[in-house]
Each structure stands twice: as C-alpha cells, then as structure tokens.
Amino acid sequence: MKFFFILLVVLIGLWFWKQRQKKPSKPSTPAKKQDAHVIMLKCAVCGVHVPDTDALAGQRGAYCSAEHRRQAEGL
Ligand SMILES: [Zn+2]
C-alpha cells in the first residue's frame, strides 16, 4: 500500500511538472518594449550609435570598435 502512495505522489509531481513546461512564454510583452531599455551610445570617432552592450568603453567616451578606441586614445 505504501508503494502505491509513493507512486501516486510521483505521478502527481510529474503531472505538475508537465503542466509547468506546457506554459508558453508570455507573448504579451512585445519586443519593441524591451528595445526601449537599450541604451545607445555614440562612438566618439565615427558617430555611429551602438547599444551599450556592444560598445567599448574608453577614457574619452564610448566606441563602436576597438579600432576606433585605438584611434581616439592612441592605445
Ligand atoms: Zn566608430
């Protein structure tokens, strides 16, 4: 009898786990909304705007590439 009880608990646990996995990711948040949070930085050399995640930080500002950072700061 104890075995069946454990089996039942395991089956219920698996069912809950499956239900959780079925849940689709919230489509209510559009991608555009997330883009608004991206901070755009202007390259100090060419003036191109790059997301702060892709920008390279230098002593005189942000740069779009290592090449431009080297040009501006002479590193
Ligand atoms: Zn640049």
Side-chain angles (χ1 to χ4, degrees):
M1 198 60 202
K2 205 177 176 183
F3 172 76
F4 284 107
F5 178 73
I6 291 164
L7 190 73
L8 191 73
V9 169
V10 169
L11 282 172
I12 289 167
L14 277 171
W15 183 79
F16 269 109
W17 184 68
K18 271 192 172 181
Q19 291 295 308
R20 269 192 160 191
Q21 291 225 317
K22 273 184 185 175
K23 272 187 184 176
S25 56
K26 283 184 182 178
S28 56
T29 22
K32 273 190 178 178
K33 222 177 183 180
Q34 289 181 327
D35 288 345
H37 294 289
V38 176
I39 299 160
M40 299 299 280
L41 297 168
K42 193 180 176 185
C43 175
V45 175
C46 64
V48 159
H49 284 80
V50 286
D52 65 335
T53 48
D54 294 340
L56 290 165
Q59 289 181 332
R60 296 180 198 174
Y63 303 97
C64 67
S65 61
E67 182 63 37
H68 282 174
R69 184 170 63 180
R70 202 162 45 229
Q71 267 184 39
E73 301 190 5
L75 295 171

